[in-house]
Amino acid sequence: MNRLLHDAVYHSEYLRSGQPDPAAYIIGARICGGAILLLACVATGALLGLVASAGRAMTAHATLRRRA
């Protein structure tokens, strides 16, 4: 954490945020970053599931049309 405190980006954002403790700011920034990454992965999985479901439905429909 000491390494991040001396990082120019973290230091400038910490000063701009008005947080009283730099460690709290760094931990909060890491938690928010992780939450955003997690939500992005869930959204990507949902989109891939939707595409797979649509592809399966189209395949089933095409198979039924061929049998008829």
Side-chain angles (χ1 to χ4, degrees), residues 10-39:
Y10 270 102
H11 190 68
S12 63
E13 290 293 322
Y14 159 68
L15 291 176
R16 195 178 71 155
S17 72
Q19 285 280 342
D21 184 25
Y25 172 76
I26 291 171
I27 291 171
R30 292 291 176 113
I31 290 172
C32 286
I36 290 170
L37 180 63
L38 178 68
L39 289 175

Side-chain angles (χ1 to χ4, degrees), residues 36-56:
I36 290 170
L37 180 63
L38 178 68
L39 289 175
C41 290
V42 167
T44 302
L47 287 174
L48 288 174
L50 185 63
V51 168
S53 178
R56 185 175 177 141

